[in-house]
Amino acid sequence: MFKKLSRAALGAAVPHDKATSGMQTVTMPLPSKLVLCMQQHIGAPCTPVVKKGDHVDVGTVVGKAPSVVSADIHSGVSGTVMGIETVQYPTGGVVQAVVIEPDGQQTIAANIKKPSVTNYESFIQAVRDCGLVGLGGAGFPTAVKLSPKNLQQVDTLVINGAECESYLTADNREFLEHSDTILSGIKAVMEYLQIQKCCIGIERNKPEAMDLMFSLIKDEPAIKVVPLPSRYPQGAEKVLIERTVGREVPRGGLPSDVGVIVLNVTTVSTIGKYLQTGMPLTTKRVTVEGDAVAKPQNVEVIIGTPLEEVLEFCGGTKVQAAKVITGGPMMGTAQVSLQFPVLKQNNGLLVLSEKSAHLPAAQPCIRCGRCISACPMGLSPVEIANAYNRKDTHALDKMMVDLCIACGTCAYVCPAKRPVSQTMALAKDYLKRKGGEK
Ligand code: SF4
Ligand code: SF4
């Protein structure tokens, strides 16, 4: 049995705080070094294919995908490989990284040329050669996403332009600065995957982006723009599918099970760019924000640039920083070091003061039920937390904790400031280890 998402897909009215949405993206100069982690995607880590002392150009493959669920990693600078190092990974653990010193020439690799795409197979190969992963934060290899087993049953492409997290405006800038490649990327996916319809979901708090896309698709009957309510988390894949095409992804299922493929707007735009130029994914727009940042802005950054240099480019901090987060405040990852590099899937760098980052002490649950009414997946977080505390596997399975998307809405709305979403993550992991997840 699957609970209706629409029952509680209201989510929460998080503050927008999108002060950078009207600012043109600024391109950052070359960093002092690139640190290219070999894990910048969901799936197997890449294998370094360069060694210390090698010369690389812009677009040279430095990490090769060892399996289908992975994505090649390319250098965004020309320069010299300083070494293959083991570095701490931004989400914990350690990973190999190719460290490159730029030579300042930005020489383009000789093999970079517009790809020849004539059919489905050559299109998927092009997406693979681009090294593309979900740029909205998920990091799932795009070529894999575009190759579902039941492709013939997919009739709708959904473009995720919700950007529902506070602070983040990188996708909004993609709409305003690269609407041409968004459209050409959408048309390419529809053509080569034989998908009949496309829905572009955009939150209503982006009126300029919505107006622009409405005007661009006015003669494209197969493509429509779907305004979304400005309530977090409209961009969660299952919520977005429900909102845009009215279909419910079943428990344990994938979007393709209901005839849908979802791509983030910057991801599909990158497909459009790659088909025009053949330049793989080497740069990323990052929203640098937070009340400790001297000059918040959207910055086009070469992937692998240390966070410290990105922050310096934005004027450093104007007050003492208490917390650094990559991604948004709801689903992002707190960082312990600014030495970490920008990864493909990073779309935000938030630097917060003590005042903003302070978390009040958790109080006893008052059983108000707000976490239940706000959960976009229709779950009962407070009851799941109780079941987890009892280590009641049967109840966790029955209450479908595996459907939790870790959006953090339950913790955000909790008046007792309980760490509800953290408990959901523990409960989900517990159920998985016990083999209860469907
Ligand atoms: S929102 Fe917080 S206080 Fe209210 S029921 Fe849920 S856990 Fe308890
Ligand atoms: S973190 Fe999980 S349980 Fe909490 S609101 Fe999001 S989906 Fe629901």
Side-chain angles (χ1 to χ4, degrees):
M1 193 189 83
F2 185 71
K3 293 179 182 178
K4 283 272 175 208
L5 284 178
S6 51
R7 180 175 72 80
L10 289 176
V14 301
H16 296 164
D17 288 333
K18 292 181 184 275
T20 59
S21 64
M23 298 178 189
Q24 188 76 22
T25 307
V26 179
T27 301
M28 189 179 153
L30 292 182
S32 64
K33 65 174 179 180
L34 276 197
V35 181
L36 288 163
C37 289
M38 293 292 100
Q39 179 86 66
Q40 303 198 38
H41 47 264
I42 290 173
C46 284
T47 308
V49 289
V50 290
K51 58 183 186 319
K52 186 175 179 178
D54 281 357
H55 176 83
V56 294
D57 289 323
V58 180
T60 301
V61 176
V62 298
K64 195 79 194 145
S67 62
V68 173
V69 185
S70 187
D72 288 351
I73 293 165
H74 304 78
S75 174
V77 297
S78 58
T80 306
V81 176
M82 304 307 290
I84 314 297
E85 297 179 7
T86 300
V87 298
Q88 206 177 349
Y89 194 57
T91 53
V94 293
V95 68
Q96 279 191 310
V98 174
V99 182
I100 302 169
E101 183 177 46
D103 62 11
Q105 302 302 309
Q106 288 304 84
T107 313
I108 307 286
N111 63 342
I112 300 296
K113 62 176 194 302
K114 186 177 163 172
S116 167
V117 174
T118 54
N119 54 21
Y120 172 73
E121 286 74 23
S122 54
F123 176 68
I124 294 297
Q125 188 57 49
V127 175
R128 197 173 289 288
D129 291 342
C130 177
L132 189 56
V133 304
L135 300 179
F140 191 74
T142 308
V144 181
K145 200 168 205 183
L146 295 178
S147 314
K149 288 193 179 91
N150 60 341
L151 181 58
Q152 297 77 9
Q153 285 151 28
V154 173
D155 63 3
T156 309
L157 172 66
V158 171
I159 300 302
N160 189 349
E163 198 161 56
C164 53
E165 285 246 25
S166 303
Y167 295 115
L168 304 185
T169 61
D171 283 347
N172 185 50
R173 292 314 307 175
E174 190 70 21
F175 276 120
L176 300 179
E177 297 173 23
H178 295 284
S179 56
D180 54 338
T181 48
I182 293 172
L183 209 50
S184 64
I186 287 172
K187 286 182 179 176
V189 174
M190 291 175 75
E191 179 185 347
Y192 293 113
L193 273 68
Q194 296 280 292
I195 297 176
Q196 298 90 323
K197 294 177 285 181
C198 174
C199 296
I200 307 172
I202 308 176
E203 265 197 17
R204 289 183 195 277
N205 63 6
K206 302 172 190 62
E208 274 186 83
M210 229 164 10
D211 287 351
L212 177 61
M213 294 315 292
F214 268 125
S215 70
L216 286 176
I217 57 143
K218 66 180 189 318
D219 298 322
E220 306 282 353
I223 306 175
K224 67 174 182 173
V225 174
V226 181
L228 305 169
S230 298
R231 283 187 76 86
Y232 180 83
Q234 298 301 309
E237 201 166 68
K238 288 172 182 166
V239 175
L240 182 69
I241 292 171
E242 168 110 350
R243 285 282 180 199
T244 50
V245 294
R247 298 176 196 167
E248 204 171 275
V249 180
R251 185 184 189 190
L254 295 169
S256 62
D257 295 332
V258 293
V260 174
I261 287 178
V262 181
L263 290 180
N264 162 269
V265 64
T266 303
T267 308
V268 82
S269 184
T270 305
I271 292 176
K273 289 171 196 162
Y274 184 76
L275 295 179
Q276 283 177 7
T277 65
M279 177 54 72
L281 178 66
T282 56
T283 65
K284 187 75 211 285
R285 182 185 296 104
V286 177
T287 305
V288 185
E289 253 284 22
D291 64 343
V293 178
K295 288 189 220 150
Q297 57 195 300
N298 274 296
V299 185
E300 188 78 14
V301 178
I302 297 177
I303 293 162
T305 300
L307 297 175
E308 187 177 37
E309 297 193 27
V310 180
L311 184 57
E312 271 168 24
F313 177 71
C314 295
T317 52
K318 59 184 179 189
V319 293
Q320 180 72 34
K323 192 166 205 173
V324 174
I325 299 171
T326 48
M330 298 293 279
M331 293 189 76
T333 307
Q335 302 295 338
V336 297
S337 169
L338 282 169
Q339 298 301 315
F340 291 150
V342 171
L343 305 178
K344 289 179 181 180
Q345 64 269 49
N346 289 158
N347 48 9
L349 171 60
L350 307 184
V351 186
L352 305 173
S353 69
E354 178 62 38
K355 188 167 160 250
S356 296
H358 178 70
L359 291 175
Q363 302 297 320
C365 172
I366 58 171
R367 300 195 62 77
C368 65
R370 285 190 205 173
C371 54
I372 298 173
S373 48
C375 175
M377 296 308 293
L379 303 178
S380 302
V382 61
E383 300 302 340
I384 291 172
N386 290 339
Y388 173 66
N389 290 337
R390 300 193 304 271
K391 298 290 181 284
D392 186 341
T393 312
H394 177 70
L396 290 175
D397 190 29
K398 206 167 161 206
M399 289 191 279
M400 300 186 271
V401 66
D402 48 283
L403 291 181
C404 174
I405 54 173
C407 65
T409 307
C410 48
Y412 179 79
V413 299
C414 176
K417 300 300 167 204
R418 301 190 64 72
V420 203
S421 58
Q422 291 89 332
T423 309
M424 294 305 104
L426 293 171
K428 186 174 172 176
D429 182 60
Y430 179 77
L431 181 62
K432 192 171 183 177
R433 282 189 282 115
K434 293 289 173 184
E437 186 173 345
K438 296 280 189 295

